[in-house]
Amino acid sequence: MSKKNKSALTEKDGVSQPETTSKTSAKKIQLKRRKQTPTSEYVTQILKGNITFLSKAITLVESTNAKHQKKANEILEACLPYANKSVRIGITGVPGVGKSTFIESFGKHLTSLGKKVAVLAVDPSSSVNKGSILGDKTRMEQLVTDENAFIRPSPSGTSLGGVAQKTRETIILCEAAGFDTIIIETVGVGQSETAVHSMVDFFLLLKLAGAGDELQGIKRGIIEMADAIVINKADGDNAKNAKIAKVEFNRALHLYPPKENGWVPKVLVASALQHKGIDNIFSMIDTYITDAKKSGFFNEKRNQQNKYWLLETINQQLKDNFYNNPDIKNLLDSEIKKLKESKTTPFNAAKRLLGK
Amino acid sequence: MSKKNKSALTEKDGVSQPETTSKTSAKKIQLKRRKQTPTSEYVTQILKGNITFLSKAITLVESTNAKHQKKANEILEACLPYANKSVRIGITGVPGVGKSTFIESFGKHLTSLGKKVAVLAVDPSSSVNKGSILGDKTRMEQLVTDENAFIRPSPSGTSLGGVAQKTRETIILCEAAGFDTIIIETVGVGQSETAVHSMVDFFLLLKLAGAGDELQGIKRGIIEMADAIVINKADGDNAKNAKIAKVEFNRALHLYPPKENGWVPKVLVASALQHKGIDNIFSMIDTYITDAKKSGFFNEKRNQQNKYWLLETINQQLKDNFYNNPDIKNLLDSEIKKLKESKTTPFNAAKRLLGK
C-alpha cells in the first residue's frame, strides 16, 4: 500500500459511509464544474443551439453567487451580437383565462410554421408560494416535447426587478441559441405586467367573454398597455358572448388614443382549446412586426426599452441604498406617522430624511 | 443744517435723480419686508381669510430664496392643523375643450351654493412659454370678481416636481384661509395630470363629442385615471353628438375594472357656456365625497397621497444627486451608445455607472 492510499479519507470496503452530500452541496459542485467550462465553450454550444448548455447558462444567470454572475456576464456579453433577432411577445391575463392552453396552442402553431419558440415567465410571487406559473410543465404537455420549443419556469426572487433582469438576460441567451420567437407569460394582477410590457415587442391581453366578474382581478392600466386583446374560450355556449364582447371592446378601444406608432389595438376571438383563431392572431402580430420594422419603430422601441432598464436598474439601486439604511427606516416610520397626524408636509419630511 | 442732513445721500431739490430701482430689486425689497412680518401674523391673517396675506404667503412658497422658503415652511406647518378640510377637484382636458369656461361656470355654481372656491393650476410648461394656463384671468371674468373665489396662476418652474410641490403647499394655505373647494386645472397632454391626480380627491376629464381628432392630443392612461368624464360643449348642433358620445363612453368604461373603492366612473354631458349640466356634476362629486368619507376611503387616499409625495420627493432628489454629477453624465452617454450597438446589457451598464 502506497503512502497516498493511507489517507484517512480512503474508503474501506464494506464499511458504510455517512451521507455527507446534501442537495445544496451537490448543486454547488455542479455549479463549480459549470464555472470551470470556459466561456468560449458555452458560447460555441449556445450558438449551435445546444439546449443543455443554454439551460446551464441560464442557471448561471439565475445564481446569486458572485462568481457565477461574473461568468454569466461574460457569456451574455459574448452572446449579445447574436441576440436581438427574435420577436418578443408578452402574454398576460388573470388566472383562469387559459394562458397555458393558449400558449401551448399558439406555440404549436408557431413551430408548425418552422419557428423556434422559447417560453419564459415573469412571476415574482413564485418565490413565495413556490408555484411558478410555468412550473407545472405538464400544463403544456405537447409543447414541452416539441424539439423546437424551450420552456423555462420563472426564476425565483423576491424582487420584481431581480426577476425581470434575469428574464431579460435569459431572452438574450435564447435568442443567441436560435429561438426566433420569445413568449413571456405573466399573470396580470400585480406590477409584473409593466415590467413585461417593457421587454416585449408586442403585448397581448387574454380575456374572457362576459365582461363582468373576471375584470375584478385585473389591474387598471393593463388595457391601455395591450397591443391586442384576445377573447379566449370562444367555444361552445361562449362563442356568441365572445363575439359580442369583441364588438364592445373594439368600440371601446376606438375611443382611446392610438399608440405612439399609430397602431390601434385589435380585438380577436380565439378558442385555444379547439385551436380556433390562433392563425389570425399570429398573422396580426406578423403584420405589426413587419410594419414596425419597416418604419424603424421596432428598433427605436428596443433602444428605448434598453435605456428604460438601464435607468430603472440604477434608480432601484439608489432607492435600495437609501431605504435599507436602518436609521432611514426608523425616521421614515416616524415621518409617515407625523404626516398622518398633519404635523408636517411631505416635502419637509423628505428634507429631514435626506438630511440624514 | 444738522450733521445728519449733510449725508451724500441727501437729495437736492431740483436735481433729477438717476433711476436706480430696477423691478428685480423692488421685488427683493418687497419680499424682504414680507419676511419681516412675523409668522404668527401671517397665520392669524390667513386663518381670518385675509386674501392679501394668503397671496403673500403663496409668493413666499414660490420663492427660490432659502430664507423665504424657511419662512414659508414655518407658515405652512402652523397652518397644517387647519388645512385638509376642503374637497380637492382636479380638472384636465386638451386645449380647446373649454376648461376655462367650464371652471368659471362650475366655480360660480359653487359660490352660489355658499362655497369658497380656490382655483389653482399645474402647468410646468408655463415657465417656458411664459403663458400660464390661468395667467389670462380675463378668461374667467366673472369668477375673478367673485369675492368667494380666489384664482392663482400656475407657479413657474422648470421641473414638474417643483411646480407640484408649490401647488400642494398652496392648497394647504388656501384651505387654512377657509376655501372649502380647491379646483386644480391642468392641461392633459403631458406628465402633469399624473401629478394632479395624486393631489386631488376627485379627477374630472373634460372631453368633446365626436371622439376622433381631439383624442390625438390626449395622453394614454388619462381615461383610466378619471373618476368622471364630462362631455362639454353639449349645445346647439353638438347636443346630439354629445349624447351619443355619452352612451359610448359609458359602455366603454363598464368594460374597465372599477376603482379601488368600487366606484364606476360616470359620464355626464354639459354646456359650460349655457350653464347646463353643471349642477349634476356637482351633485355627482358631492355624492362621491360623502360616500368616500363615510367608508373611510377619503382619509385613506389622502394618507396615501401624502406618502406618495414624501417618497416621490426623496426619490427625485436621489436621482438628481446622481445624474447631475458630470462624470455620470459622460459615462451615461457612452453606455447608452454601447447599448445601441449591442455591446453591453442594461444591467452591466448600470453596474458600471453605479460603480462610479
Side-chain angles (χ1 to χ4, degrees):
Chain A
M1 206 182 244
S2 73
K3 202 190 170 191
K4 199 171 70 182
N5 285 344
K6 280 185 182 167
S7 158
L9 292 169
T10 311
E11 275 189 35
K12 268 191 193 166
D13 286 344
V15 175
S16 74
Q17 301 294 317
E19 269 201 58
T20 50
T21 49
S22 70
K23 275 194 177 180
T24 322
S25 49
K27 187 96 183 170
K28 270 187 193 160
I29 292 162
Q30 274 186 338
L31 280 167
K32 202 173 177 187
R33 276 189 199 141
R34 231 164 266 179
K35 190 171 64 75
Q36 284 158 351
T37 311
T39 302
S40 59
E41 177 69 4
Y42 271 105
V43 177
T44 310
Q45 292 300 332
I46 289 171
L47 293 179
K48 275 186 191 166
N50 184 322
I51 296 300
T52 311
F53 273 82
L54 173 62
S55 299
K56 283 179 182 173
I58 296 173
T59 305
L60 285 174
V61 158
E62 294 177 353
S63 167
T64 50
N65 177 308
K67 280 179 189 166
H68 300 154
Q69 285 186 349
K70 190 170 170 286
K71 186 82 173 178
N73 275 332
E74 288 172 19
I75 301 171
L76 277 168
E77 300 223 327
C79 283
L80 262 180
Y82 309 97
N84 267 310
K85 281 162 193 130
S86 78
V87 171
R88 304 168 183 168
I89 303 166
I91 295 181
T92 192
V94 295
V97 80
K99 281 193 297 298
S100 298
T101 314
F102 179 82
I103 291 171
E104 167 131 301
S105 181
F106 187 61
K108 286 301 286 178
H109 179 70
L110 292 170
T111 58
S112 79
L113 296 171
K115 300 202 173 288
K116 289 190 71 184
V117 182
V119 183
L120 313 174
V122 172
D123 176 19
S125 66
S126 66
S127 61
V128 179
N129 58 23
K130 303 269 176 191
S132 162
I133 43 178
L134 281 173
D136 186 7
K137 285 191 186 180
T138 53
R139 290 186 302 146
M140 298 186 194
E141 36 185 38
Q142 285 183 48
L143 203 58
V144 83
T145 58
D146 191 323
E147 61 170 9
N148 287 315
F150 174 72
I151 301 179
R152 180 89 186 186
S154 179
S156 62
T158 42
S159 86
L160 172 59
V163 172
Q165 170 176 350
K166 287 168 191 174
T167 306
R168 291 251 324 166
E169 291 176 341
T170 300
I171 293 174
I172 292 168
L173 297 175
C174 290
E175 288 176 341
F179 289 97
D180 51 34
T181 313
I182 317 282
I183 295 175
I184 300 156
E185 178 187 2
T186 189
V187 63
V189 290
Q191 291 294 317
S192 50
E193 66 289 337
T194 309
V196 172
H197 180 251
S198 304
M199 61 174 83
V200 297
D201 307 310
F202 195 94
F203 195 62
L204 204 66
L205 170 64
L206 293 190
K207 290 187 72 68
L208 294 175
D213 293 342
E214 86 280 4
L215 278 165
Q216 301 288 344
I218 212 162
K219 208 190 122 203
R220 290 185 73 83
I222 288 196
I223 294 178
E224 298 222 24
M225 277 184 212
D227 295 304
I229 295 175
V230 170
I231 299 158
N232 194 22
K233 301 194 182 175
D235 40 44
D237 296 343
N238 230 358
K240 203 184 150 194
N241 285 337
K243 275 183 194 161
I244 295 169
K246 181 186 167 172
V247 173
E248 286 186 344
F249 271 110
N250 249 325
R251 204 186 267 139
L253 288 176
H254 274 84
L255 295 175
Y256 282 59
K259 298 245 167 180
E260 289 170 81
N261 59 339
W263 174 260
V264 177
K266 303 281 177 288
V267 186
L268 292 95
V269 296
S271 164
L273 200 66
Q274 299 180 357
H275 308 290
K276 280 182 190 163
I278 302 296
D279 46 350
N280 286 339
I281 295 166
F282 172 70
S283 306
M284 169 191 61
I285 296 176
D286 203 36
T287 307
Y288 176 94
I289 298 293
T290 308
D291 290 353
K293 282 187 175 168
K294 222 179 275 172
S295 71
F297 181 75
F298 187 87
N299 274 326
E300 196 190 303
K301 188 172 171 183
R302 286 216 171 166
N303 283 336
Q304 279 174 8
Q305 288 179 338
N306 274 333
K307 200 175 155 188
Y308 167 84
W309 285 103
L310 165 62
L311 299 179
E312 191 59 25
T313 307
I314 292 173
N315 298 345
Q316 192 55 53
Q317 192 60 53
L318 294 175
K319 285 193 266 181
D320 286 353
N321 290 348
F322 185 79
Y323 294 107
N324 288 341
N325 176 330
D327 288 353
I328 295 295
K329 274 185 189 167
N330 290 335
L331 187 56
L332 185 62
D333 287 347
S334 78
E335 291 292 342
I336 288 173
K337 195 164 167 277
K338 271 194 204 168
L339 275 177
K340 273 195 186 167
E341 293 163 351
S342 289
K343 284 184 181 158
T344 189
T345 70
F347 310 102
N348 280 342
K351 206 183 284 173
R352 279 189 292 272
L353 279 155
L354 288 162
K356 271 262 167 182
Chain B
M1 204 182 244
S2 72
K3 204 189 170 192
K4 199 171 71 182
N5 285 345
K6 279 184 184 168
S7 159
L9 291 170
T10 310
E11 275 188 36
K12 269 191 189 164
D13 285 344
V15 176
S16 75
Q17 301 294 316
E19 270 201 54
T20 50
T21 49
S22 70
K23 275 194 175 177
T24 324
S25 48
K27 187 98 183 167
K28 268 186 196 161
I29 292 162
Q30 274 187 337
L31 281 167
K32 202 173 177 186
R33 278 191 199 138
R34 230 163 267 178
K35 191 171 63 72
Q36 285 157 350
T37 311
T39 302
S40 58
E41 177 69 4
Y42 272 104
V43 178
T44 309
Q45 293 300 330
I46 289 171
L47 293 180
K48 275 187 192 164
N50 184 324
I51 296 300
T52 311
F53 272 84
L54 172 63
S55 299
K56 282 179 183 175
I58 296 174
T59 304
L60 286 174
V61 158
E62 294 177 353
S63 167
T64 51
N65 177 309
K67 279 179 190 167
H68 300 154
Q69 286 185 349
K70 190 171 169 286
K71 186 82 174 180
N73 276 332
E74 287 172 17
I75 300 171
L76 277 167
E77 301 222 328
C79 283
L80 263 180
Y82 309 96
N84 268 310
K85 283 165 192 129
S86 78
V87 171
R88 304 168 184 168
I89 303 167
I91 295 181
T92 192
V94 295
V97 79
K99 281 194 296 298
S100 300
T101 313
F102 179 81
I103 291 171
E104 165 130 304
S105 181
F106 187 61
K108 286 299 288 179
H109 180 69
L110 291 170
T111 57
S112 79
L113 296 172
K115 299 203 174 288
K116 288 191 70 183
V117 182
V119 183
L120 313 174
V122 172
D123 177 19
S125 67
S126 65
S127 61
V128 180
N129 59 21
K130 303 268 177 192
S132 162
I133 42 177
L134 281 175
D136 186 7
K137 285 192 186 180
T138 54
R139 292 186 299 144
M140 298 187 194
E141 36 186 39
Q142 285 184 48
L143 203 58
V144 83
T145 58
D146 190 322
E147 61 170 7
N148 286 316
F150 174 72
I151 302 180
R152 180 89 186 188
S154 180
S156 62
T158 42
S159 85
L160 172 59
V163 172
Q165 171 177 348
K166 288 168 190 172
T167 306
R168 291 250 324 167
E169 292 176 342
T170 300
I171 293 174
I172 292 168
L173 297 176
C174 291
E175 289 175 342
F179 290 96
D180 51 35
T181 312
I182 316 282
I183 295 175
I184 300 157
E185 179 185 1
T186 189
V187 61
V189 290
Q191 292 293 319
S192 49
E193 66 290 337
T194 310
V196 172
H197 180 250
S198 305
M199 62 175 82
V200 297
D201 307 311
F202 195 93
F203 195 60
L204 204 65
L205 170 63
L206 292 190
K207 290 188 73 65
L208 294 174
D213 293 342
E214 86 281 2
L215 277 165
Q216 300 290 341
I218 211 162
K219 211 189 121 208
R220 290 185 73 82
I222 289 196
I223 295 177
E224 298 222 24
M225 276 182 212
D227 294 305
I229 296 175
V230 170
I231 299 160
N232 194 23
K233 301 193 183 176
D235 40 45
D237 294 343
N238 229 0
K240 202 183 149 197
N241 286 336
K243 273 182 194 159
I244 295 169
K246 180 185 167 173
V247 173
E248 286 186 342
F249 272 110
N250 248 327
R251 206 186 265 138
L253 288 175
H254 275 84
L255 295 174
Y256 283 58
K259 298 248 168 178
E260 290 170 80
N261 58 340
W263 174 258
V264 177
K266 303 280 176 289
V267 186
L268 291 96
V269 296
S271 165
L273 201 65
Q274 299 180 357
H275 308 291
K276 280 182 190 162
I278 301 296
D279 46 349
N280 285 338
I281 296 167
F282 172 71
S283 305
M284 169 191 60
I285 296 177
D286 202 38
T287 306
Y288 176 95
I289 298 293
T290 308
D291 289 354
K293 283 187 174 168
K294 221 179 276 171
S295 72
F297 181 75
F298 186 87
N299 273 328
E300 197 189 302
K301 189 173 172 183
R302 287 217 170 165
N303 283 336
Q304 280 174 7
Q305 288 179 338
N306 275 333
K307 200 176 156 187
Y308 167 84
W309 285 103
L310 165 62
L311 299 179
E312 192 59 24
T313 307
I314 292 173
N315 297 346
Q316 192 54 51
Q317 193 59 53
L318 294 175
K319 286 194 266 182
D320 286 353
N321 291 348
F322 185 78
Y323 293 107
N324 289 341
N325 176 331
D327 288 354
I328 294 296
K329 273 185 188 167
N330 291 334
L331 186 56
L332 184 62
D333 287 346
S334 78
E335 291 293 343
I336 287 174
K337 195 164 168 279
K338 272 195 204 168
L339 275 178
K340 273 194 185 169
E341 293 163 350
S342 289
K343 284 183 183 159
T344 189
T345 69
F347 310 102
N348 280 342
K351 207 184 284 173
R352 279 190 293 272
L353 279 155
L354 288 163
K356 272 264 168 179

